Amino acid sequence: MDNKTYTEGLAKLREVRDEIKPLERQLAKIQGELAKLATRRDQKIEELGVFEKAKADRIATSAGVSVIDVVALVPSLGPQEPVSAPEEAASTDSAIGDRSERQAAAQPIKEPAGAPAPDLRRQGLEDKDRAAALTRLREAAADGAFDLDALDEPASATAAAPSHAPTAPTAVASAGEQERELPSIPEGAAGDRWIYAEPTLTSKRPNFKQATRQMAFLDTATGMLVWQAGTVTLDLGSASVAEILTAVYATVPADVERIYITAGDPWHQDAGRHQFLKDAVAQWLNGPLPEGWQVESSRGKDRQAGHLVHPRNPVGRWQRGKDQHTEIRSVGEWFDPAGADPATVRAAFVELWKALRRHWDDVVLMGSPSQTGRDLWSRTIPAKAGAKWADGYPVMSQEIRGLLHATAGQGRTELITPPRVPERVPGWYEADRTFAYAKHTWTSGVGVPQRVTAAAFAAMSEKEQADALFSPSHWQVRVTIPRDWNHVGLLPAPAPGERSWHYPYEGGRTFTTWAGGAEVNLALRNPLQPWRIEILDGLVWEKGDPLKDWSNKLKDAWRSLRALGEVHGDEQQRQAARLASRAVRSILLYGIGTFAQRPRITTGSLELGAGGEVPEIPDGARLTGLTDTHVTWERNGGFARDPYAHPEWAAGVWSAARAALLSGPTGTKDPETGKPARAGALHLPAGSILAFRTDAIYSSVRPEWPYSGEPGDYLLKGAMSWEQTTPTTDEEFYVLQALGRQALEAEEL
């Protein structure tokens, strides 16, 4: 391509853009009208539902919706004696006996007197103490967690705020709904009794090797099936579960236990008949089975029976007789295949295994990246007798795990709309942090934490306070935003909804929340203006590196696969290596997520009785789906005695990643100041930030940040340098995201 062709291509692209815009406006208008009609329909359903002879199925047919949608609007038409989902707070483990007194139910946040956090930019330490503190922090700064240079800048305010926060009882969400309250640690001795490790429960290195499961890869759109012994094209009919199981096992041996779907998404084939994808998935999973097959009821200790009803990456589990078991899974759990055929996808799994085997000679690829990640981590636990933690990492008390589950959110997802930003902006740019979580695994909290109450924090010297805040920690804080603040919010607060968070930004606002030490420090020493923070309570762990070896090995595998994806002479192998590198990212990303240990959610399905009667669902379960033939349910089983439950590690990584999304070093020096150059949302103009999506920033100005391909670097993934209408809905956001990526690709040709 020459310059002339390129210029002509841009002109044609703009023509397409101009054709799209009026259609988008029409679409927005139609969507608005559709929303109004849907509201009228729902109101009519509610009116009819109060009639004593009303039937959910008849109303559903007349409304053109599913029965479960009708039941959601008129609960009285559903199964009698419905059971609500249990609370997410940690439940008492039966194995702990009479510890129920210790597990005083999580208490709503109160407003105790707090201790102001020290201003880390003017601590007033003596020179020798300051030097000692800086020396202890130098390792953290070298790895990009904190900015020591910022400590030398003048400042005039005190304190900052946290990351996952319960707001004060008076704080109300923008929609007018009361924000949910986060739990707090009980006062006094009752709270001190939370600070213990679960007896006889530690994370130990396994003394066995995982069993290898044979895999096959199937494109249900083309029928192409690939496994270790060859490639065939199958006639799958409508790609129902019965047709897939029949066709595949007429071709491959019974020891193939995993069928990865690479394309076709057969579980979405009836999505048009359902309002929610999950309902379509449940119907597909519960479809008729070939003779001799049944939904899996029991398996070995390392496997879970039953289906996982996920809207995009479901897992179906079946068995034939007692000995043959199989799973149908989506390869989307590991990576987006981006159009790759099954042979290339299988080659990606081979390359992944080879890259990991250089570091783990007993590596086995398990069904999901999360399972694989946790298993690989367990094989990095020190094995040498006498080595620190060789006897295993202790698992925190159920109370602490429940607290972290409720108060430590994950990635930041936020869409910033007018009037906070203009209705039209001069451009659209997407900057995404490469392999971001791998940047924040160099240190984590280990052992049993120390509780630091407001009184204990106030009694510390400023040096001790700084040490505590820079340690792996989780703080309950009262936050006050500066009155003249005009940028994005720094710390999450709980929004209405089960696990929703938002980011207060209004100058002068005060709210209460929980946050990791990384975010507290960021709020205290951000490059614009320090926020005020008062410490109400906190947990401080001993500093360790339980994830470092695991992460370093994964990063090495990731780098080697990325390099192979650039230099291999065969195009298929290059693509396979690129896909495998994304699988490594998923292993680390989802592996960290498994440490969070959410409550056990058991799912199941039951067949409708004759005449469509809804069967009785298990005690403690709630109805989640209803089709023409089956009901699906789920039950919250509380927290298991999981030897690999370390929510303190996941919370620390997530907090550090959210802080770095706002401000973090780039690994290069600012040519003007000679100090480490920094990147993040706070280094872009106020009013230019349009959205956050976990590790990505979307702005109306082009970020000019250096990129070297290392974990944590910002990669420009989308760019449109002409005026855009600011997105106000997720649908509009994703349209601009796709257009921005296409435009940047055209720009780089």
Side-chain angles (χ1 to χ4, degrees):
M1 178 179 293
D2 54 22
N3 288 334
K4 180 181 179 182
T5 305
Y6 175 67
T7 303
E8 291 174 349
L10 291 178
K12 292 179 180 178
L13 180 61
R14 287 191 288 273
E15 291 175 2
V16 174
R17 175 199 69 194
D18 293 339
E19 291 177 9
I20 289 174
K21 285 185 176 180
L23 295 176
E24 289 177 338
R25 288 192 289 270
Q26 293 177 28
L27 177 61
K29 182 179 179 181
I30 293 171
Q31 288 174 333
E33 294 173 352
L34 178 62
K36 292 178 182 178
L37 290 172
T39 300
R40 286 174 52 192
R41 178 198 64 201
D42 293 348
Q43 291 172 344
K44 199 64 180 174
I45 289 173
E46 291 172 344
E47 292 172 5
L48 295 172
V50 300
F51 180 53
E52 61 180 3
K53 295 183 179 180
K55 298 291 185 181
D57 56 346
R58 293 195 63 186
I59 294 177
T61 301
S62 299
V65 298
S66 69
V67 174
I68 190 62
D69 297 326
V70 174
V71 172
L73 290 167
V74 190
S76 61
L77 298 180
Q80 297 302 305
E81 302 181 17
V83 183
S84 59
E87 295 180 0
E88 283 197 354
S91 59
T92 304
D93 192 314
S94 59
I96 301 182
D98 61 357
R99 195 172 292 140
S100 57
E101 291 184 6
R102 294 202 211 174
Q103 295 179 339
Q107 303 174 355
I109 282 186
K110 300 178 181 178
E111 290 290 331
D119 186 341
L120 298 183
R121 303 202 286 187
R122 53 178 185 85
Q123 293 181 29
L125 303 179
E126 295 182 5
D127 289 344
K128 64 178 182 179
D129 291 333
R130 183 180 180 82
L134 292 177
T135 298
R136 285 193 299 276
L137 298 175
R138 200 169 306 282
E139 180 184 357
D143 203 73
F146 308 111
D147 178 12
L148 298 185
D149 293 308
L151 298 177
D152 296 324
E153 298 174 7
S156 58
T158 62
S163 96
H164 310 297
T167 52
T170 56
V172 178
S174 58
E177 299 177 76
Q178 185 75 24
E179 292 178 344
R180 73 186 190 282
E181 291 182 333
L182 296 183
S184 60
I185 303 174
E187 296 178 2
D192 293 340
R193 286 196 290 269
W194 284 27
I195 313 302
Y196 68 94
E198 290 286 357
T200 68
L201 195 63
T202 55
S203 304
K204 295 184 178 181
R205 189 185 185 100
N207 57 6
F208 65 91
K209 181 178 179 179
Q210 294 288 356
T212 301
R213 316 295 178 195
Q214 295 298 318
M215 296 178 281
F217 301 87
L218 176 65
D219 181 337
T220 59
T222 65
M224 183 178 180
L225 174 72
V226 178
W227 78 106
Q228 187 176 24
T231 301
V232 298
T233 299
L234 304 178
D235 180 359
L236 298 176
S238 64
S240 66
V241 170
E243 288 166 319
I244 290 175
L245 292 177
T246 299
V248 169
Y249 285 104
T251 307
V252 304
D255 64 354
V256 170
E257 295 188 56
R258 289 194 190 115
I259 304 169
Y260 281 109
I261 305 300
T262 65
D265 294 347
W267 38 81
H268 292 161
Q269 59 190 6
D270 285 332
R273 298 176 53 203
H274 300 274
Q275 185 174 358
F276 300 105
L277 281 179
K278 207 168 183 180
D279 292 340
V281 171
Q283 179 173 323
W284 184 84
L285 289 171
N286 291 303
L289 295 174
E291 184 178 354
W293 286 89
Q294 66 183 49
V295 176
E296 187 178 67
S297 58
S298 63
R299 301 196 72 171
K301 293 182 179 180
D302 64 332
R303 305 191 239 179
Q304 179 183 12
H307 302 322
L308 171 63
V309 183
H310 186 278
R312 299 196 180 276
N313 296 315
V315 180
R317 301 181 177 97
W318 297 271
Q319 66 184 73
R320 181 162 57 179
K322 293 183 178 180
D323 300 325
Q324 184 178 355
H325 299 266
T326 192
E327 295 179 333
I328 295 180
R329 313 183 71 113
S330 169
V331 80
E333 292 181 88
W334 293 85
F335 48 73
D336 178 358
D341 61 29
T344 304
V345 172
R346 182 179 183 277
F349 275 77
V350 172
E351 292 298 334
L352 172 64
W353 180 84
K354 288 162 59 177
L356 295 175
R357 199 177 190 292
R358 288 196 288 270
H359 300 287
W360 289 277
D361 57 10
D362 53 355
V363 61
V364 171
L365 298 181
M366 302 180 72
S368 69
S370 58
Q371 294 170 320
T372 304
R374 190 165 76 169
D375 182 66
L376 293 178
W377 172 78
S378 70
R379 297 172 194 279
T380 64
I381 298 173
K384 184 178 179 181
K388 193 168 188 180
W389 309 115
D391 293 332
Y393 292 99
V395 173
M396 298 301 94
S397 70
Q398 227 183 154
E399 296 89 343
I400 293 178
R401 283 181 282 150
L403 178 74
L404 289 168
H405 171 71
T407 61
Q410 195 172 348
R412 179 169 184 167
T413 298
E414 183 179 18
L415 183 64
I416 301 174
T417 59
R420 289 182 61 187
V421 292
E423 292 185 356
R424 292 188 66 80
V425 290
W428 170 271
Y429 301 92
E430 176 188 2
D432 183 73
R433 295 185 73 216
T434 298
F435 205 11
Y437 285 3
K439 182 73 173 179
H440 306 292
T441 52
W442 64 276
T443 187
S444 302
V446 290
V448 177
Q450 174 189 359
R451 183 185 183 186
V452 180
T453 63
F457 190 84
M460 292 178 175
S461 68
E462 288 186 331
K463 174 177 171 294
E464 290 171 332
Q465 290 178 347
D467 286 346
L469 289 173
F470 278 111
S471 295
S473 51
H474 194 59
W475 301 95
Q476 184 187 18
V477 291
R478 185 185 296 119
V479 184
T480 301
I481 304 173
R483 291 194 176 277
D484 54 350
W485 183 260
N486 68 345
H487 218 293
V488 298
L490 304 186
L491 301 164
E498 187 178 8
R499 295 285 296 167
S500 298
W501 303 91
H502 65 164
Y503 295 79
Y505 63 91
E506 303 91 340
R509 178 173 177 175
T510 295
F511 61 97
T512 304
T513 190
W514 284 88
E519 288 171 293
V520 171
N521 283 304
L522 183 280
L524 284 167
R525 59 175 182 80
N526 73 78
L528 300 181
Q529 188 178 8
W531 285 22
R532 175 176 175 77
I533 274 194
E534 297 172 81
I535 300 297
L536 305 179
D537 212 336
L539 299 169
V540 179
W541 282 267
E542 176 185 343
K543 188 181 295 184
D545 57 1
L547 304 179
K548 189 175 181 179
D549 184 35
W550 173 71
S551 176
N552 285 343
K553 289 176 177 179
L554 290 175
K555 284 187 283 188
D556 182 75
W558 174 76
R559 291 188 183 99
S560 67
L561 288 166
R562 278 167 59 95
L564 187 63
E566 295 293 331
V567 303
H568 200 288
D570 181 81
E571 171 57 30
Q572 184 188 55
Q573 289 302 117
R574 286 199 300 272
Q575 186 179 12
R578 290 192 292 267
L579 295 177
S581 72
R582 296 171 194 167
V584 174
R585 175 186 176 278
S586 296
I587 288 172
L588 185 135
L589 177 70
Y590 297 121
I592 289 171
T594 64
F595 291 124
Q597 198 227 10
R598 294 166 177 82
R600 295 169 298 177
I601 302 297
T602 304
T603 63
S605 65
L606 294 169
E607 191 171 0
L608 293 177
E613 292 86 358
V614 177
E616 182 178 350
I617 61 176
D619 291 341
R622 66 185 181 94
L623 193 67
T624 59
L626 184 59
T627 70
D628 294 339
T629 58
H630 286 76
V631 296
T632 57
W633 54 266
E634 69 179 23
R635 179 168 53 192
N636 185 326
F639 291 92
R641 283 182 56 80
D642 183 353
Y644 297 112
H646 291 285
E648 67 275 17
W649 298 348
V653 171
W654 294 339
S655 175
R658 287 193 303 270
L661 197 63
L662 298 169
S663 180
T666 63
T668 62
K669 290 191 175 182
D670 187 317
E672 295 183 3
T673 65
K675 294 181 179 180
R678 302 184 70 80
L682 297 182
H683 300 277
L684 293 172
S688 68
I689 306 301
L690 305 177
F692 294 96
R693 283 296 186 275
T694 308
D695 299 320
I697 298 171
Y698 298 82
S699 68
S700 60
V701 299
R702 190 180 190 114
E704 299 293 348
W705 299 325
Y707 181 73
S708 61
E710 286 299 301
D713 286 354
Y714 280 95
L715 172 66
L716 189 67
K717 291 184 69 174
M720 291 187 287
S721 57
W722 51 88
E723 192 175 85
Q724 303 291 330
T725 299
T726 303
T728 58
T729 65
D730 285 342
E731 291 77 11
E732 293 173 356
F733 166 83
Y734 287 116
V735 168
L736 282 183
Q737 182 192 64
L739 292 175
R741 293 178 180 180
Q742 293 169 13
L744 180 62
E745 185 177 350
E747 179 183 316
E748 293 175 342
L749 289 177

Tab-separated table of all heavy atoms in Angstrom, residues 91-100 103 196 198-199 398-399 401 641:
chain	number	residue	atom	x	y	z
A	91	SER	N	-20.845	-17.826	55.983
A	91	SER	CA	-21.705	-18.633	56.832
A	91	SER	C	-20.849	-19.503	57.727
A	91	SER	O	-19.704	-19.783	57.438
A	91	SER	CB	-22.617	-19.498	55.971
A	91	SER	OG	-21.844	-20.325	55.156
A	92	THR	N	-21.452	-19.970	58.819
A	92	THR	CA	-20.693	-20.781	59.764
A	92	THR	C	-20.392	-22.139	59.154
A	92	THR	O	-21.265	-22.802	58.642
A	92	THR	CB	-21.502	-20.968	61.062
A	92	THR	OG1	-21.831	-19.681	61.566
A	92	THR	CG2	-20.721	-21.758	62.077
A	93	ASP	N	-19.172	-22.550	59.218
A	93	ASP	CA	-18.779	-23.857	58.699
A	93	ASP	C	-19.062	-24.900	59.768
A	93	ASP	O	-18.641	-24.770	60.909
A	93	ASP	CB	-17.281	-23.827	58.360
A	93	ASP	CG	-16.872	-25.035	57.562
A	93	ASP	OD1	-17.263	-26.136	57.947
A	93	ASP	OD2	-16.145	-24.858	56.573
A	94	SER	N	-19.765	-25.945	59.389
A	94	SER	CA	-20.158	-26.945	60.380
A	94	SER	C	-18.953	-27.582	61.041
A	94	SER	O	-19.045	-28.065	62.163
A	94	SER	CB	-21.013	-28.026	59.702
A	94	SER	OG	-20.291	-28.639	58.654
A	95	ALA	N	-17.813	-27.588	60.361
A	95	ALA	CA	-16.632	-28.230	60.925
A	95	ALA	C	-16.027	-27.417	62.052
A	95	ALA	O	-15.155	-27.879	62.759
A	95	ALA	CB	-15.587	-28.465	59.845
A	96	ILE	N	-16.499	-26.183	62.259
A	96	ILE	CA	-15.871	-25.332	63.267
A	96	ILE	C	-16.577	-25.469	64.610
A	96	ILE	O	-16.198	-24.889	65.595
A	96	ILE	CB	-15.852	-23.864	62.781
A	96	ILE	CG1	-15.088	-23.792	61.473
A	96	ILE	CG2	-15.212	-22.951	63.766
A	96	ILE	CD1	-14.965	-22.401	60.939
A	97	GLY	N	-17.641	-26.230	64.629
A	97	GLY	CA	-18.295	-26.504	65.892
A	97	GLY	C	-18.962	-25.287	66.479
A	97	GLY	O	-19.752	-24.613	65.838
A	98	ASP	N	-18.610	-24.968	67.739
A	98	ASP	CA	-19.346	-23.915	68.438
A	98	ASP	C	-18.719	-22.546	68.243
A	98	ASP	O	-18.844	-21.681	69.100
A	98	ASP	CB	-19.404	-24.243	69.928
A	98	ASP	CG	-17.998	-24.314	70.548
A	98	ASP	OD1	-17.007	-24.159	69.792
A	98	ASP	OD2	-17.913	-24.511	71.759
A	99	ARG	N	-18.075	-22.324	67.101
A	99	ARG	CA	-17.458	-21.028	66.888
A	99	ARG	C	-18.473	-19.983	66.475
A	99	ARG	O	-18.144	-18.880	66.110
A	99	ARG	CB	-16.359	-21.128	65.818
A	99	ARG	CG	-15.468	-19.907	65.822
A	99	ARG	CD	-14.275	-20.110	64.912
A	99	ARG	NE	-13.405	-21.126	65.463
A	99	ARG	CZ	-12.800	-22.051	64.732
A	99	ARG	NH1	-12.965	-22.079	63.445
A	99	ARG	NH2	-12.033	-22.951	65.298
A	100	SER	N	-19.765	-20.341	66.477
A	100	SER	CA	-20.780	-19.400	66.014
A	100	SER	C	-20.762	-18.110	66.814
A	100	SER	O	-21.121	-17.056	66.310
A	100	SER	CB	-22.165	-20.042	66.085
A	100	SER	OG	-22.425	-20.473	67.405
A	103	GLN	N	-18.536	-15.736	65.242
A	103	GLN	CA	-18.947	-15.259	63.931
A	103	GLN	C	-20.130	-14.325	64.053
A	103	GLN	O	-21.119	-14.456	63.368
A	103	GLN	CB	-19.285	-16.435	63.024
A	103	GLN	CG	-18.057	-17.276	62.748
A	103	GLN	CD	-18.385	-18.444	61.881
A	103	GLN	OE1	-19.532	-18.843	61.798
A	103	GLN	NE2	-17.399	-19.004	61.232
A	196	TYR	N	-7.725	-14.906	63.288
A	196	TYR	CA	-7.116	-16.217	63.482
A	196	TYR	C	-7.061	-16.924	62.133
A	196	TYR	O	-7.693	-16.499	61.154
A	196	TYR	CB	-7.903	-17.061	64.495
A	196	TYR	CG	-9.278	-17.482	64.024
A	196	TYR	CD1	-9.485	-18.719	63.413
A	196	TYR	CD2	-10.371	-16.642	64.174
A	196	TYR	CE1	-10.739	-19.106	62.961
A	196	TYR	CE2	-11.637	-17.014	63.740
A	196	TYR	CZ	-11.814	-18.244	63.131
A	196	TYR	OH	-13.055	-18.622	62.689
A	198	GLU	N	-7.700	-20.576	60.064
A	198	GLU	CA	-8.500	-21.789	60.206
A	198	GLU	C	-7.611	-22.952	60.641
A	198	GLU	O	-6.578	-23.220	60.021
A	198	GLU	CB	-9.173	-22.141	58.878
A	198	GLU	CG	-10.281	-21.187	58.471
A	198	GLU	CD	-11.538	-21.359	59.285
A	198	GLU	OE1	-11.571	-22.264	60.145
A	198	GLU	OE2	-12.492	-20.592	59.072
A	199	PRO	N	-7.985	-23.642	61.697
A	199	PRO	CA	-7.157	-24.769	62.147
A	199	PRO	C	-7.133	-25.885	61.106
A	199	PRO	O	-8.127	-26.167	60.452
A	199	PRO	CB	-7.852	-25.215	63.438
A	199	PRO	CG	-9.262	-24.718	63.314
A	199	PRO	CD	-9.185	-23.448	62.532
A	398	GLN	N	-12.996	-17.677	58.606
A	398	GLN	CA	-14.177	-17.508	57.776
A	398	GLN	C	-14.678	-16.073	57.831
A	398	GLN	O	-15.182	-15.530	56.850
A	398	GLN	CB	-15.269	-18.461	58.254
A	398	GLN	CG	-15.909	-19.202	57.114
A	398	GLN	CD	-17.043	-20.108	57.537
A	398	GLN	OE1	-17.888	-20.343	56.720
A	398	GLN	NE2	-17.074	-20.597	58.758
A	399	GLU	N	-14.545	-15.454	59.004
A	399	GLU	CA	-15.008	-14.082	59.163
A	399	GLU	C	-14.227	-13.117	58.277
A	399	GLU	O	-14.807	-12.247	57.610
A	399	GLU	CB	-14.885	-13.656	60.634
A	399	GLU	CG	-15.752	-14.446	61.586
A	399	GLU	CD	-15.082	-15.701	62.129
A	399	GLU	OE1	-14.077	-16.150	61.542
A	399	GLU	OE2	-15.567	-16.236	63.136
A	401	ARG	N	-12.480	-13.904	55.594
A	401	ARG	CA	-12.758	-14.200	54.184
A	401	ARG	C	-14.098	-13.600	53.758
A	401	ARG	O	-14.235	-13.062	52.656
A	401	ARG	CB	-12.757	-15.717	53.963
A	401	ARG	CG	-11.361	-16.324	53.904
A	401	ARG	CD	-11.431	-17.818	53.662
A	401	ARG	NE	-11.783	-18.548	54.866
A	401	ARG	CZ	-12.453	-19.699	54.902
A	401	ARG	NH1	-12.895	-20.235	53.766
A	401	ARG	NH2	-12.703	-20.298	56.030
A	641	ARG	N	-14.448	-25.179	53.143
A	641	ARG	CA	-13.114	-25.248	53.772
A	641	ARG	C	-12.096	-25.508	52.669
A	641	ARG	O	-11.609	-26.616	52.481
A	641	ARG	CB	-13.100	-26.345	54.842
A	641	ARG	CG	-13.797	-25.935	56.131
A	641	ARG	CD	-13.723	-27.030	57.182
A	641	ARG	NE	-12.352	-27.466	57.487
A	641	ARG	CZ	-11.523	-26.821	58.297
A	641	ARG	NH1	-11.902	-25.688	58.871
A	641	ARG	NH2	-10.305	-27.286	58.536
